[in-house]
Amino acid sequence: MRQKGKRVRYVIERMTMSDVPRVIEIERLAYPSTWPPSAYRKELQDNRWAHYIVLRDRKIVEERATVPAQEVEKPRRMFPLSLLPGRPSATVPTPDLASIIGFSGLWLMVDEAHITTIAMHPDYRRLGLGEFMLVSLIDIAYSIGAKWVTLEVRVSNYSAQNLYRKYGFREAGLRHRYYSDNQEDALIMWTDEINSTSYKLRFQDMKAKLMRKLEAQ
Ligand SMILES: CC(C)(COP(=O)(O)OP(=O)(O)OC[C@H]1O[C@@H](n2cnc3c(N)ncnc32)[C@H](O)[C@@H]1OP(=O)(O)O)[C@@H](O)C(=O)NCCC(=O)NCCS
């Protein structure tokens, strides 16, 4: 995402409690049903195995920076993908909720990283940004010692399935009537061992291609 003399536009940050209202807004636009806000509180404050991120568009932050200085909250540090920070306090204030355009998360269960959610604001889809969040989650999976990455996806959700297949996820079974809103089945998908040489090479190659694509935008 970084080019000489060019500022990084999209950044990944750890999700904090102050991000939750905007996360819920995007969730409503992205999913037929949503988690209660208390679920996010539990995930962010009580679940030490959970890792949640938000994707922020800095252009929106900069546009908002034209308001009088005293109205602007102190911005958090922003990190390029390769420098994801450790988990901050869950109460750090957010500079601008509107600049959050996507979010995602996973749980570590022993040596398996379970992706629990990934959603982009509809206005920002098909730009490679959902992929950017998936890459960030897989990077987190590496950094917390996971060996595999897994998830459930609606059998009808071809766009998400395509995204996962692009990153080596393969179908490993069905959970019947998994989704309570319409009783839809879930496809269970798994990666190969992410530390295998073949997966690592493929992942690094895909990530490099994605970064070039995002830089070119
Ligand atoms: C799934 C989702 C996160 C993808 O985000 P996105 O930013 O639009 O996706 P990207 O632009 O990064 O696309 C990456 C890849 O995903 C696949 N993909 C994404 N949207 C697609 C679509 N509408 N049709 C087909 N493939 C699609 C493609 O393989 C694409 O790679 P390509 O650009 O080389 O073709 C987004 O559609 C979303 O938020 N959906 C609603 C929530 C959801 O269903 N989440 C998944 C729950 S399991």
Side-chain angles (χ1 to χ4, degrees):
M1 290 285 283
R2 193 181 290 280
Q3 261 181 358
K4 242 185 185 168
K6 201 172 173 187
R7 274 167 64 77
V8 175
R9 175 168 175 185
Y10 299 109
V11 288
I12 298 285
E13 294 175 353
R14 297 281 174 176
M15 189 190 295
T16 68
M17 277 306 293
S18 51
D19 298 331
V20 170
R22 175 65 174 163
V23 164
I24 289 172
E25 248 177 70
I26 297 174
E27 196 188 23
R28 287 205 182 105
L29 297 169
Y31 291 115
S33 56
T34 56
W35 291 359
S38 60
Y40 285 101
R41 193 175 322 116
K42 274 193 192 142
E43 290 291 80
L44 297 179
Q45 295 181 337
D46 304 336
N47 184 353
R48 59 188 289 241
W49 307 112
H51 298 263
Y52 282 83
I53 55 176
V54 292
L55 175 63
R56 196 178 282 279
D57 181 357
R58 287 175 80 175
K59 198 173 163 200
I60 297 175
V61 179
E62 281 156 15
E63 281 166 7
R64 303 275 165 136
T66 53
V67 297
Q70 67 271 22
E71 290 176 25
V72 181
E73 292 177 74
K74 189 169 177 276
R76 274 183 284 178
R77 278 180 69 201
M78 292 177 180
F79 299 85
L81 180 58
S82 55
L83 295 176
L84 272 173
R87 183 191 295 264
S89 143
T91 55
V92 178
T94 187
D96 190 341
L97 285 181
S99 68
I100 295 173
I101 55 169
F103 69 94
S104 56
L106 59 74
W107 292 339
L108 180 68
M109 289 183 191
V110 192
D111 47 13
E112 299 164 5
H114 288 238
I115 294 181
T116 54
T117 184
I118 177 164
M120 277 306 303
H121 189 288
D123 293 348
Y124 285 85
R125 290 192 190 155
R126 299 300 339 232
L127 296 171
L129 296 170
E131 188 173 334
F132 185 36
M133 287 200 295
L134 181 64
V135 163
S136 308
L137 290 180
I138 297 172
D139 270 334
I140 290 173
Y142 277 116
S143 72
I144 58 180
K147 291 187 177 161
W148 294 272
V149 187
T150 181
L151 51 84
E152 281 98 14
V153 54
R154 286 177 193 262
V155 288
S156 65
N157 193 347
Y158 301 115
S159 26
Q161 288 168 30
N162 283 345
L163 168 61
Y164 303 140
R165 286 202 185 90
K166 202 169 167 183
Y167 280 80
F169 286 78
R170 285 201 289 245
E171 298 170 34
L174 275 186
R175 290 196 206 285
H176 291 288
R177 305 165 77 82
Y178 183 72
Y179 296 99
S180 53
D181 57 286
N182 65 351
Q183 312 301 314
E184 188 171 351
D185 293 345
L187 212 56
I188 307 166
M189 301 185 88
W190 285 85
T191 57
D192 289 339
E193 232 276 36
I194 58 173
N195 289 302
S196 65
T197 308
S198 58
Y199 192 89
K200 268 188 179 161
L201 286 176
R202 177 177 173 173
F203 177 64
Q204 292 307 333
D205 181 49
M206 300 288 294
K207 182 172 161 179
K209 272 193 196 130
L210 174 67
M211 294 307 143
R212 285 196 295 274
K213 173 177 164 175
L214 293 177
E215 276 169 8
Q217 279 174 17

